[in-house]
């Protein structure tokens, strides 16, 4: 990892400029904050008492907006996952000030110097967050996970829970986690492989605070506990999606697979990286063999991700099966309502259909309009993330102009290629002919503009 040395506070100024450029909300209006204070005092009354169940949370150590808590129990050969989701709809009513502000924001925006939350902190980090050792209202999904990893929604109910522990990806041990956690994650992973899922999770560039005023830029691989925890969310989201499809309603996460031309380009890329991809092996099967710890394989994982057509949201349409190619399944977002607007409505729909009630009209109407709102919010979050990375790269290299670097070409076109530096977590473009993916090259840093968040290289070998 590389710690950014920023004695002139260029990074802090740059983050301020990014916030201004993308109009990142600085705070909530006094009226919205006052509404949140009132909502936070709302006492649950339509909830059963689950405080005797041993729920825990598992998140990054610094997280305080805790959407999910879980408990696991055996049921013969099956495992029952009790997945508690923050009951945001208990605090936020359709059409009120909090709801209107959430529709303007769409999702929580994350920057290294702080986040712009979807809901005021008194809710998102307080009354609605599933913090430890306090009672909280939640919507508890009970997911039955069979020995082969097949999932089924057994029930959904509002409940009061009390998390026993706030566990962190970085420090959680097997002894900390509920019995059955690793086995449940293993079953979900086995089911993914059996159905041909092709989720690719390469290391990603990330800027994070390590101390007040100090930041690091690094390629961050996913930790084992993080991967296992993602399996719990995946199981819940798939079970919810199946239940909604069966009732001809819902909002789904959909994604098309890379087309034939993209796969052909990927085969050329794999050959350039000297990766053995047999002709008879599909992209999905090959992707499952990749190891993110190997630089060439990690770069190829990034190439796979760029070759895809991107995920989006789509409401239910009669006669159309909503499909997420990377999951090889029908899939919805229901497990992060404190951070994503759409999840609040999916949770309400699941609560209704699981209990034989009509879906509220406001939820059905929201499914028709949320696709555009979430697409706009996702695009904004992506632009901010990329701008933060560009800024960090410029700050980190601001005193290195003229220095040569070893690099690997990750992809190329007729004008040049995208490179990854070998000794720094930096990716950039270089204009040079006859580059091919997988080439090891020498480049020189020719320019840095911190204000414009830009770096330029030339090839020198």
């Amino acid at each position: 990892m590389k710690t950014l040395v920023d004695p002139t506070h260029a990074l802090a100024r740059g983050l301020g400029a990014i916030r201004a450029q993308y109009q990142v909300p600085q705070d909530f209006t006094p009226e919205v904050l006052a509404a949140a204070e009132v909502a936070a005092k709302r006492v649950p009354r339509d909830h059963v008492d689950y405080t005797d169940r041993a729920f825990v949370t598992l998140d990054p150590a610094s997280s305080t907006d805790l959407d999910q808590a879980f408990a696991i129990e055996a049921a013969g050969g099956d495992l029952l996952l009790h997945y508690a989701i923050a009951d945001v709809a208990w605090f936020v009513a359709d059409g009120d000030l909090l709801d209107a502000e959430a529709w303007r924001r769409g999702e929580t925006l994350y920057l290294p110097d702080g986040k712009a939350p979807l809901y005021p902190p008194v809710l998102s980090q307080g009354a609605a967050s599933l913090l430890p050792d306090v009672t909280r209202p939640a919507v508890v999904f009970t997911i039955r996970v069979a020995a082969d990893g097949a999932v089924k929604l057994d029930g959904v109910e509002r409940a009061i829970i009390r998390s026993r522990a706030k566990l962190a990806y970085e420090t959680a041990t097997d002894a900390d986690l509920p019995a059955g956690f690793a086995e449940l994650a293993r079953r979900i992973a086995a089911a993914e492989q059996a159905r041909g899922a092709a989720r690719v999770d390469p290391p990603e560039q990330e800027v994070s605070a390590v101390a007040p005023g100090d930041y690091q830029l690094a390629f961050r691989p996913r930790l084992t506990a993080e991967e296992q925890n993602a399996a719990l969310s995946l199981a819940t989201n798939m079970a919810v999606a199946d239940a909604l499809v069966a009732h001809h309603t819902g909002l789904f996460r959909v994604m098309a697979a890379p087309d034939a031309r993209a796969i052909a380009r990927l085969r050329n890329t794999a050959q350039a990286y000297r990766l053995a991809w047999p002709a008879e092996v599909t992209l999905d099967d090959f992707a499952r063999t990749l190891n993110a710890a190997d630089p060439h394989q990690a770069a190829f994982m990034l190439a796979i991700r760029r070759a895809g057509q991107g995920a989006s949201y789509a409401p239910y349409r009669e006669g159309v099966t909503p499909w997420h190619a990377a999951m090889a399944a029908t899939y919805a977002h229901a497990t992060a309502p404190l951070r994503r607007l759409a999840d609040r409505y999916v949770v309400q729909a699941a609560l209704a259909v699981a209990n034989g009630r009509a879906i509220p009209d406001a939820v059905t109407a929201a499914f028709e309009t949320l696709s555009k709102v979430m697409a706009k919010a996702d695009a904004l979050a992506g632009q901010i993330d990329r701008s933060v990375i560009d800024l960090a790269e410029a700050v980190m290299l601001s005193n290195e102009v003229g220095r040569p670097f070893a690099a690997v070409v990750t992809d190329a076109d007729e004008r040049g290629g995208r490179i990854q530096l070998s000794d720094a977590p930096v990716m950039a473009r270089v204009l040079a002919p006859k580059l091919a993916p997988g080439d090891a090259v020498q480049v020189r840093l020719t320019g840095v503009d911190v204000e414009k968040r830009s770096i330029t290289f030339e090839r020198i070998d």
Side-chain angles (χ1 to χ4, degrees), residues 54-58 69-73 81 167 173-184 232:
F55 284 98
V56 298
T57 62
L58 181 60
F70 59 91
I72 299 170
E73 65 173 304
L81 167 64
L167 305 179
T173 66
D174 291 344
D176 298 326
L177 293 160
F181 175 77
E183 170 59 16
L184 192 151
L232 275 60

Side-chain angles (χ1 to χ4, degrees), residues 25-282:
Q26 295 297 310
D27 206 344
F28 294 88
T29 66
E31 294 79 9
V32 171
L33 291 173
E37 291 286 351
V38 172
K41 297 175 184 176
R42 189 176 183 194
V43 178
R45 64 172 185 273
D46 297 339
H47 298 68
V48 297
D49 188 348
Y50 277 1
T51 54
D52 61 335
R53 297 192 178 185
F55 284 98
V56 298
T57 62
L58 181 60
D59 296 273
S62 60
S63 294
T64 52
D65 47 352
L66 307 183
D67 288 289
Q68 313 114 7
F70 59 91
I72 299 170
E73 65 173 304
D78 297 338
L79 291 173
L80 294 182
L81 167 64
H82 302 292
Y83 210 46
I85 304 300
D87 191 359
V88 178
W90 183 254
F91 299 99
V92 179
D94 294 309
D96 71 7
L97 286 173
L98 296 169
D99 180 53
E101 182 65 21
W103 276 83
R104 279 190 287 272
R105 296 185 179 220
E107 64 184 63
T108 296
L109 298 174
Y110 293 90
L111 288 91
D113 59 346
K115 59 193 171 191
L118 180 61
Y119 299 103
V122 69
L123 290 177
S124 61
Q125 300 173 55
S129 179
L130 304 183
L131 297 165
D133 302 321
V134 289
T135 57
R136 288 289 185 262
V139 176
V140 179
F141 295 86
T142 297
I143 313 299
R144 183 175 294 272
V145 183
D148 63 357
V151 298
K152 179 179 178 293
L153 185 64
D154 263 15
V156 187
E157 56 189 335
R158 278 183 150 145
I160 297 297
I161 72 162
R162 187 181 183 90
S163 172
R164 306 291 177 85
K166 179 180 182 292
L167 305 179
Y169 295 144
E170 300 89 339
T171 58
T173 66
D174 291 344
D176 298 326
L177 293 160
F181 175 77
E183 170 59 16
L184 192 151
R186 187 202 65 77
R187 292 184 182 188
I188 299 303
E192 283 192 273
Q193 184 168 358
R195 68 176 183 268
R199 286 193 303 131
V200 177
D201 294 310
E204 294 186 345
Q205 285 173 293
E206 180 182 79
V207 181
S208 57
V210 293
D214 289 335
Y215 300 86
Q216 66 180 13
L217 172 64
F219 283 107
R220 186 188 71 84
R222 294 185 71 167
L223 301 171
T224 298
E226 185 177 4
E227 290 279 2
Q228 293 174 323
N229 193 48
L232 275 60
S233 182
L234 173 62
T236 303
N237 286 328
M238 287 176 55
V240 168
D242 288 344
L244 294 182
V245 167
H247 286 78
H248 301 250
T249 188
L251 183 73
F252 304 91
R253 195 71 167 153
V254 296
M255 188 178 78
D259 59 23
R261 292 180 62 185
I263 292 175
R265 288 194 298 269
L266 285 170
R267 284 196 174 275
N268 292 334
T269 302
Q271 184 177 6
Y273 277 126
R274 298 177 179 84
L275 301 179
W277 180 1
E280 70 277 8
V281 176
T282 67

